[in-house]
Amino acid sequence: MSGTTEYKAVIGLEVHIQLLTESKLFAADSTAYGQPPNTNVSVITLAHPGILPKLNKKAVEYAIRMGLACDSRISRYCIFDRKNYFYPDLPKGFQTTQDRTPICIGGEVPVAFKDGKTVVKLNRIHLEEDAGKSIHDEHSDESFIDLNRAGVPLVELVTEPVIHSAEEAMAFLTEIRQIVRYLEICDGNMEQGSLRCDANISVMKINDSELGKKVEVKNMNSIRNVGKAINHEIERQIGVLKGGAEVISETRLFDADRGLTSGMRTKEELNDYRYFPEPDLSPFEVSDEWLKEIASKMPSTPKVLRERFAEEYSLSAYDARVLTDEKEVAVFFEEACSKTTYYKAISNWIMGPIKSIMNEVTRKTIPITADQLVALVEKIETGGISFSLANKQVFPYLMKDRNATVEEALKSLGLTESNKEDISAVVLDVLNANPEKVKAFQNGKKGLIGMFVGEVMKKTNGTADPKKTNDLLQDALGKMK
């Protein structure tokens, strides 16, 4: 990126995580996505006079889960505050949030990316209600309001300004999405708005000590678009500074189609939201007993599983990361490993044939059972079947019948031991058909053994055991000198 040797970017993220509760933060209204507009509403959502909100305990529990996963300090005494601002899609005219007593304070999230790894420090994680949705594209001269989302519980995760590239930001968001899915507190779907991100971006000269003017970028509906928006904004700000002008502190929107940001409104030096304690909600306390109960029921996070996979199963950091990309896959891997000791072979099958099939279908379910995979791997590792045959014939058979055993598949496919021919004759046929390559092998081109093995495998339709084939070839080649 031009200018990066002279300037550096400073980025802080605000991540809004919509919690998977069945009801809203302060009302019993449903939080179901995709319902007809303005149907998940009640007098509380509509802010009728005389109504009183009631705190959703499950939302507090989910917020605490997120804090524990990020090594945050959990606040034991919390109040809610009113944030006064013009909200066209919140009938109350203010947002109920946490200003002075966020449920989670501090914390950190280690992230790895292509060029390295870092630890992103967090400022806070606080609870608040979501706003409704304003729809401007139905008619050019009218706007519509859908209040179904108004009052849905959120946690807002705020990082410190410690991110310095789009790549770091994307890796951080990917890690956050994994964490919330593992914790089962959010589905992580940015396209549906259940995970949203605003980026605060500034640039400064490498040797300067004072931060540059901050620009907030909104309207990014995918991790990829967050990266695009950050890269564009860094370029734009560097261009402004190099042109001798000043960066304006403002809120900008990202246009994904054009890959550009555009000004929405200028930001004042200090926003006066006139926070004050919410008088209709009592303070709440997090007891030692409740905190211990939540901690005891915490699912393993991707970080914990990556460490365990590397230590217990002797996997590389790369393997451990791929296997923990999706919770379903990580659970499947551990289930399979509880039934065998061929850990690396199980890992290779999941990252190879199984992931390949999962990537081809919309609903990414694992195509065979753990028992089937274990039996298949053990059959290969003990020399009962070749990997090629297992992959091309037995694996597809098992995908069609999740109740079938490997032995039943082999029998049905006509691949039982009794049906296997003696491959000694095939080995001699292959060598006799390739006299020049036999001579080249004997003159030192030992890599040709792979070609000979491949030819034998072709002639036996993959039924020959590769190790046995290799041994027979070596023996036959030795006798042909």
Side-chain angles (χ1 to χ4, degrees):
M1 186 181 298
S2 64
T4 51
T5 55
E6 192 179 343
Y7 293 88
K8 71 175 180 180
V10 180
I11 303 161
L13 300 180
E14 299 171 8
V15 186
H16 291 82
I17 301 162
Q18 201 174 87
L19 300 177
L20 275 177
T21 56
E22 294 181 7
S23 55
K24 295 184 179 180
L25 187 56
F26 304 114
D29 309 348
S30 171
T31 58
Y33 178 81
Q35 300 301 301
N38 299 307
T39 54
N40 294 348
V41 295
S42 67
V43 291
I44 295 179
T45 298
L46 296 174
H48 284 200
I51 55 92
L52 284 175
K54 184 177 180 180
L55 179 60
N56 186 331
K57 185 178 179 181
K58 182 62 72 173
V60 179
E61 178 187 329
Y62 284 178
I64 292 172
R65 276 197 207 178
M66 190 65 192
L68 292 175
C70 297
D71 294 327
S72 303
R73 177 166 60 86
I74 307 302
S75 298
R76 301 307 185 87
Y77 179 85
C78 296
I79 63 171
F80 280 97
D81 299 278
R82 291 187 178 185
K83 179 181 180 181
N84 293 277
Y85 189 69
F86 175 66
Y87 293 98
D89 36 25
L90 265 180
K92 295 185 298 185
F94 61 84
Q95 182 186 38
T96 305
T97 183
Q98 291 182 309
D99 176 37
R100 286 163 294 174
T101 60
I103 184 69
C104 311
I105 301 170
E108 61 182 34
V109 177
V111 296
F113 48 97
K114 183 180 178 182
D115 294 333
K117 55 186 179 180
T118 188
V119 176
V120 176
K121 298 288 185 183
L122 307 186
N123 178 280
R124 59 193 278 155
I125 302 172
H126 62 264
L127 271 164
E128 63 185 22
E129 62 183 339
D130 207 346
K133 186 176 182 181
S134 297
I135 303 164
H136 307 293
D137 54 1
E138 296 287 334
H139 299 283
S140 59
D141 58 345
E142 293 179 317
S143 292
F144 295 83
I145 303 291
D146 180 6
L147 295 175
N148 282 348
R149 200 174 66 184
V152 169
L154 295 175
V155 287
E156 181 177 346
L157 181 153
V158 182
T159 76
E160 297 289 359
V162 294
I163 299 170
H164 299 292
S165 70
E167 189 180 17
E168 287 180 48
M170 292 167 69
F172 173 77
L173 276 176
T174 300
E175 188 73 17
I176 292 300
R177 184 172 62 183
Q178 277 188 306
I179 290 172
V180 300
R181 286 175 173 173
Y182 268 76
L183 297 178
E184 298 179 352
I185 63 172
C186 174
D187 60 27
N189 292 331
M190 293 189 74
E191 297 81 2
Q192 295 180 359
S194 52
L195 184 69
R196 308 196 294 275
C197 175
D198 299 335
N200 294 296
I201 306 159
S202 65
V203 296
M204 59 189 293
K205 285 199 171 183
I206 294 290
N207 297 321
D208 283 356
S209 57
E210 186 176 343
L211 293 175
K213 287 286 183 70
K214 179 177 68 176
V215 171
E216 183 180 23
V217 180
K218 294 179 175 288
N219 197 39
M220 299 169 289
N221 64 354
S222 72
I223 292 176
R224 188 162 171 254
N225 281 339
V226 170
K228 284 184 175 180
I230 290 173
N231 276 332
H232 166 74
E233 190 57 27
I234 292 171
E235 286 277 10
R236 187 190 70 82
Q237 291 185 30
I238 290 174
V240 169
L241 295 175
K242 282 190 168 183
E246 286 191 4
V247 172
I248 299 172
S249 184
E250 61 182 340
T251 298
R252 297 178 70 86
L253 296 178
F254 178 64
D255 184 330
D257 293 330
R258 297 189 299 155
L260 305 174
T261 62
S262 57
M264 178 184 175
R265 59 174 179 265
T266 57
K267 297 178 79 72
E268 299 173 6
E269 289 300 315
L270 179 65
N271 286 315
D272 182 13
Y273 292 123
R274 292 176 292 124
Y275 287 106
F276 65 87
E278 168 57 75
D280 292 336
L281 284 165
S282 299
F284 69 91
E285 296 187 30
V286 179
S287 66
D288 290 343
E289 292 75 21
W290 191 31
L291 186 57
K292 287 177 183 176
E293 180 187 346
I294 294 172
S296 69
K297 295 177 181 178
M298 281 275 290
S300 295
T301 62
K303 173 189 171 186
V304 169
L305 286 182
R306 285 194 291 267
E307 292 171 353
R308 187 157 80 226
F309 287 5
E311 184 177 337
E312 290 188 19
Y313 307 121
S314 301
L315 298 182
S316 68
Y318 174 79
D319 285 9
R321 181 165 291 279
V322 172
L323 290 169
T324 54
D325 276 348
E326 299 170 66
K327 185 175 183 178
E328 182 187 13
V329 172
V331 171
F332 179 79
F333 172 73
E334 286 212 283
E335 183 186 355
C337 287
S338 70
K339 304 170 188 287
T340 187
T341 56
Y342 293 114
Y343 307 138
K344 178 58 178 171
I346 293 290
S347 170
N348 289 343
W349 263 89
I350 292 175
M351 295 193 299
I354 289 176
K355 277 262 189 180
S356 178
I357 292 296
M358 291 176 69
N359 290 337
E360 291 176 5
V361 297
T362 305
R363 188 170 182 269
K364 299 181 182 298
T365 54
I366 295 169
I368 63 174
T369 68
D371 287 331
Q372 287 176 321
L373 177 60
V374 168
L376 191 58
V377 164
E378 291 186 340
K379 197 71 174 174
I380 298 167
E381 296 297 319
T382 56
I385 189 175
S386 69
F387 172 82
S388 176
L389 182 65
N391 186 28
K392 292 178 181 177
Q393 295 193 50
V394 184
F395 180 47
Y397 184 97
L398 297 175
M399 284 196 298
K400 293 176 183 176
D401 185 357
R402 293 171 67 92
N403 293 317
T405 66
V406 170
E407 295 299 334
E408 289 169 347
L410 290 171
K411 185 176 180 180
S412 178
L413 293 166
L415 302 172
T416 56
E417 292 291 335
S418 59
N419 291 328
K420 288 187 179 180
E421 59 180 313
D422 182 1
I423 63 169
S424 300
V426 180
V427 166
L428 290 176
D429 285 345
V430 167
L431 295 180
N432 290 331
N434 295 278
E436 291 184 3
K437 287 187 169 56
V438 168
K439 188 174 181 180
F441 176 86
Q442 292 170 338
N443 288 334
K445 291 191 175 181
K446 303 302 181 185
L448 286 168
I449 192 70
M451 185 277 293
F452 293 134
V453 171
E455 289 300 310
V456 173
M457 297 300 287
K458 285 181 188 177
K459 284 184 174 290
T460 60
N461 294 318
T463 61
D465 173 47
K467 185 178 184 306
K468 183 178 178 182
T469 301
N470 190 297
D471 292 343
L472 287 171
L473 281 164
Q474 296 281 6
D475 185 59
L477 287 163
K479 292 176 179 176
M480 294 176 73
K481 287 183 179 180

